[in-house]
Amino acid sequence: MSILLIALPDIFRGIDIDPLAASNISYLLWLIMGYLVVTAVLVVSFGRIGDMYGRTRMYNLGFAVFTFFSILLAVTWLQGDAGALWLIIMRVLQGIGGALLLANSTAILTDAFPTHQRGLALGINSIAAIAGSFIGLVIGGVLAPISWHLVFVVSVPIGVFGTVWAYFKLKEAGERHAARIDWWGNITFAVGLVAVLMGITYGIQPYGGHVMGWTSPMVLGLLIGGIVVLGIFAVIETKVAEPMFHLSLFRIRAFTAGNIASLLAALGRGGLQFILIIWLQGIWLPQHGYDYESTPLWAGIYMVPLTIGFLVAGPISGVLSDRHGARAYATIGMVGAAVSFLLLKFLPVDFAYWGFAIILAVNGLSMGLFSSPNRAAIMNSVPPRQRGAAAGMTSTFQNAATVLSIGIFFSMLILGLSSSLPQALRGGLLAHGVPADAAQRISELPPVSTLFASLLGYNPMQTLLGPQILAQVGPAQAQYLTGRSFFPSLISGPFGDGLTFALVFAAACCVVAAFASLLRGGKYAYQEPAAVGATGDVVDGAPVAQAAVTAPERTPAAVGASSDGYGNGAGNGTAVSGRVLQGRVLGPDATPTPAVLTLVDRAGRQAGRALSDDDGHFRLEPPTPGDFLVIATPQGSDGSVAPRATQVSVSTVPVDLDLVLDRRAAGRS
């Protein structure tokens, strides 16, 4: 994506498309957002297919598909509208390969590394992604002026190498679970999400006499209809035997809180890259003497502090979260990101670079501090057999939030531009000798066109004025009007108005994300037992005694213990110490399930028992710190629901633990 953003000016010039024409705005939007829409829609389905047929197989296929369509993008020979449509279609199809890669890469890493190393592994993975993004900015800036085709050619040898290497080196380490494809779930999810994301994309474009299209019947129909279809998807997933995505995962606090935080973080930062490119390419760099043709390369170079901050914080936060849990690091990261957005708000549009660089570094450090621990916590919280679908849902939240973020950020900037740009543009042109009718015509240019001109690092004055008007105003005025200072100076004030709204919104998203991250609970990792059953079954290779799975008798509550009548059971009493295990027990259909909770120490002795209440809540108080096995045995079932066992480590702080029971495998009784 980054290499494409930097190369857009040369691509549009290469296929002879005028980015200022109202009819061409949709080309620019779909070239940017088409890939994001496809990956957001398909990652959950491809993650589920990876769970069923093998994640490395799907990952290898993703490399091959991505590479094939990179070749077709590189050999584009069409011009004008046909060329733009070809590029958009090929980018959409390339997004299928990207979705296969995104859906399975995180799950493959989670399969390959134990719980105490996943934060580091995902941190290193984040480094690779961010480093690739920065390298794309620089390479795009270098290659695009030579030939825009090279922007796509450069990914071909990398894709070929990745395809071959992955085929021979990657081995399947995860579980496969044969299942039928949930066609209705896949269809409704795709249709609903595509409709919503298309509505956002078209909402940015002018409609009738409005500067944006949010009041368009088509946009409203897409948004409302898409939300309704997504609601139907949620209902379908609760009814089918083998759903595309197990909605019961959202009953796991660590999974839900992590994804909410991830969505809000993406919503806050998704439009940041576009804002920075507009700020640098369209305003700051030309004002500081850089030719428009060179601004894409220098924009990438000037954003290096953002990348460096992320590269430093990503692996370090991953290692620390492996030891201490994700909550503190992810929360601090989001608070730091909110602060950095507010600091950007107080910078003047014509800033001193050292202040800008420091703020970018703080933002990169904060996002790195959040990203690796949050991803590791999400993946640690889900059963191994559902990692592909879980990783896909996380990617869907991020990509959909990025598209929404672009829509929101652009809308705020367009509102800022529309309130003051027409008057400023008309007055500036009249002051330099442009005839009144021409100045009025140019001032009525849709603000979104001015915004995209800035995004492309493009000076529109020469095109808008034309040779006849430039000849009328004289050589000196013509040189100033088409130079590096007139247009950037003209839009800097209106741009600053819209920028303020966008940055405040981004900071607010990060604050809410910090709050969601704070509510994720303590360090938690799902542990899959070797097998769990009733009396005589085996848990992690050791037999489970009869006493460990029978219901406790009701006895008076101990003094100072919880008030449910079991000493350490569910209730609202006050714990006698910080050594508390608490959470919920849910059945296969994600409803609260009555169960006996048995706590077993490392010597195999029972260390505590409790019953879950009607809402599935339970509470256990281990006698000492250490490692324990928690066994949840369903009560009153017909034998179709299997017990669940999970290994936990207890210290002096409460541990939150949600247990989701599964149906008993065929052949077990």
Side-chain angles (χ1 to χ4, degrees):
M1 175 61 73
S2 61
I3 194 171
L4 178 69
L5 286 177
I6 291 297
L8 279 174
D10 294 284
I11 292 174
F12 270 73
R13 282 192 290 267
I15 61 174
D16 195 23
I17 287 287
D18 178 10
L20 297 179
S23 59
N24 294 335
I25 291 174
S26 60
Y27 291 152
L28 177 62
L29 279 172
W30 279 110
L31 195 57
I32 294 172
M33 299 173 72
Y35 182 93
L36 292 173
V37 170
V38 172
T39 53
V41 168
L42 294 179
V43 282
V44 178
S45 298
F46 288 163
R48 176 60 174 156
I49 293 172
D51 290 339
M52 294 162 54
Y53 300 109
R55 293 162 191 151
T56 58
R57 182 181 297 177
M58 295 299 106
Y59 186 79
N60 296 346
L61 178 62
F63 252 127
V65 171
F66 188 91
T67 305
F68 176 74
F69 287 107
S70 294
I71 295 172
L72 293 183
L73 282 163
V75 299
T76 302
W77 68 96
L78 300 169
Q79 297 284 309
D81 293 343
L85 289 172
W86 173 269
L87 289 174
I88 290 168
I89 293 170
M90 292 303 104
R91 278 288 289 173
V92 166
L93 295 174
Q94 190 185 48
I96 297 174
L100 285 163
L101 293 169
L102 279 174
N104 293 283
S105 59
T106 301
I108 289 171
L109 285 171
T110 306
D111 290 337
F113 287 86
T115 303
H116 65 280
Q117 293 180 348
R118 284 176 190 154
L120 174 61
L122 293 172
I124 294 173
N125 180 247
S126 297
I127 285 179
I130 295 299
S133 178
F134 167 67
I135 293 171
L137 289 173
V138 176
I139 291 179
V142 171
L143 295 180
I146 300 172
S147 172
W148 66 266
H149 294 274
L150 296 177
V151 170
F152 300 111
V153 171
V154 71
S155 63
V156 173
I158 298 172
V160 171
F161 172 79
T163 303
V164 175
W165 182 89
Y167 180 81
F168 286 105
K169 294 296 184 181
L170 282 182
K171 306 300 180 184
E172 193 68 56
E175 300 181 11
R176 293 190 202 177
H177 292 268
R180 290 176 297 179
I181 294 177
D182 173 19
W183 290 109
W184 283 112
N186 279 273
I187 291 170
T188 52
F189 183 77
V191 170
L193 192 56
V194 165
V196 170
L197 297 182
M198 285 181 64
I200 294 170
T201 302
Y202 284 111
I204 305 172
Q205 302 181 44
Y207 166 70
H210 304 280
V211 295
M212 288 181 288
W214 296 112
T215 57
S216 163
M218 182 186 75
V219 170
L220 292 174
L222 286 170
L223 292 174
I224 296 171
I227 292 171
V228 170
V229 174
L230 288 176
I232 295 172
F233 159 77
V235 174
I236 290 173
E237 296 305 275
T238 63
K239 304 297 183 182
V240 298
E242 296 170 338
M244 178 186 89
F245 182 80
H246 289 268
L247 296 179
S248 60
L249 289 180
F250 287 112
R251 301 277 185 169
I252 301 173
R253 184 195 301 183
F255 179 81
T256 302
N259 274 296
I260 291 174
S262 181
L263 183 147
L264 289 165
L267 197 59
R269 74 170 184 267
L272 174 65
Q273 191 172 34
F274 295 90
I275 294 291
L276 294 178
I277 290 175
I278 292 170
W279 200 346
L280 290 172
Q281 288 188 193
I283 300 174
W284 193 84
L285 286 169
Q287 285 184 327
H288 287 77
Y290 292 86
D291 294 328
Y292 278 96
E293 291 75 12
S294 66
T295 55
L297 172 61
W298 285 103
I301 293 173
Y302 275 112
M303 287 194 290
V304 167
L306 181 68
T307 304
I308 292 175
F310 201 106
L311 294 180
V312 170
I316 294 175
S317 63
V319 172
L320 293 174
S321 68
D322 286 335
R323 297 178 182 176
H324 308 294
R327 177 163 55 182
Y329 303 104
T331 302
I332 293 171
M334 282 295 93
V335 172
V339 170
S340 68
F341 283 126
L342 292 177
L343 291 175
L344 280 175
K345 172 184 174 295
F346 290 109
L347 275 184
V349 175
D350 187 14
F351 51 80
Y353 178 71
W354 65 267
F356 182 75
I358 291 174
I359 297 173
L360 285 190
V362 170
N363 186 273
L365 286 167
S366 300
M367 289 298 182
L369 194 62
F370 166 81
S371 179
S372 301
N374 191 65
R375 287 178 66 200
I378 290 172
M379 297 307 298
N380 282 340
S381 69
V382 299
R385 64 193 175 282
Q386 296 180 26
R387 284 173 181 162
M393 184 59 75
T394 300
S395 295
T396 290
F397 280 139
Q398 291 176 339
N399 286 358
T402 298
V403 174
L404 179 58
S405 177
I406 293 170
I408 292 172
F409 275 48
F410 276 17
S411 296
M412 290 180 177
L413 288 176
I414 290 169
L415 287 174
L417 290 170
S418 63
S419 64
S420 54
L421 180 62
Q423 296 86 352
L425 188 57
R426 185 176 185 277
L429 292 172
L430 289 174
H432 291 85
V434 175
D437 58 339
Q440 182 64 33
R441 174 179 55 82
I442 294 172
S443 70
E444 294 172 354
L445 184 75
V448 68
S449 298
T450 305
L451 190 65
F452 289 148
S454 301
L455 176 63
L456 295 172
Y458 180 77
N459 185 350
M461 286 296 104
Q462 188 162 1
T463 302
L464 292 174
L465 292 171
Q468 185 175 357
I469 294 177
L470 290 174
Q472 291 180 22
V473 299
Q477 295 285 20
Q479 184 177 6
Y480 177 74
L481 289 171
T482 59
R484 292 191 292 260
S485 59
F486 175 73
F487 181 67
S489 300
L490 202 64
I491 68 170
S492 60
F495 174 81
D497 295 338
L499 182 66
T500 297
F501 294 118
L503 292 175
V504 170
F505 171 80
C509 286
C510 290
V511 169
V512 180
F515 183 71
S517 185
L518 191 64
L519 296 179
R520 76 175 67 235
K523 184 178 180 182
Y524 169 69
Y526 181 93
Q527 295 290 336
E528 187 73 40
V532 182
T535 305
D537 280 0
V538 174
V539 177
D540 290 341
V544 180
Q546 173 71 32
V549 294
T550 56
E553 298 180 0
R554 292 184 177 270
T555 58
V559 176
S562 53
S563 58
D564 67 338
Y566 294 96
N568 57 1
N572 298 320
T574 303
V576 298
S577 72
R579 296 189 300 273
V580 175
L581 289 171
Q582 58 191 8
R584 300 182 74 193
V585 181
L586 304 171
D589 57 355
T591 59
T593 298
V596 179
L597 283 300
T598 306
L599 194 65
V600 181
D601 65 18
R602 298 186 67 176
R605 296 185 296 266
Q606 180 178 300
R609 289 189 301 175
L611 282 177
S612 61
D613 64 15
D614 293 339
D615 293 325
H617 293 288
F618 69 89
R619 184 185 186 92
L620 289 161
E621 294 177 9
T624 61
D627 296 329
F628 295 90
L629 188 69
V630 181
I631 304 171
T633 306
Q635 296 298 291
S637 69
D638 57 2
S640 62
V641 180
R644 169 70 67 198
T646 298
Q647 189 80 27
V648 295
S649 296
V650 179
S651 58
T652 58
V653 296
V655 176
D656 295 295
L657 183 69
D658 292 337
L659 298 166
V660 181
L661 305 182
D662 289 327
R663 299 197 182 278
R664 193 182 296 276
R668 299 294 300 270
S669 61

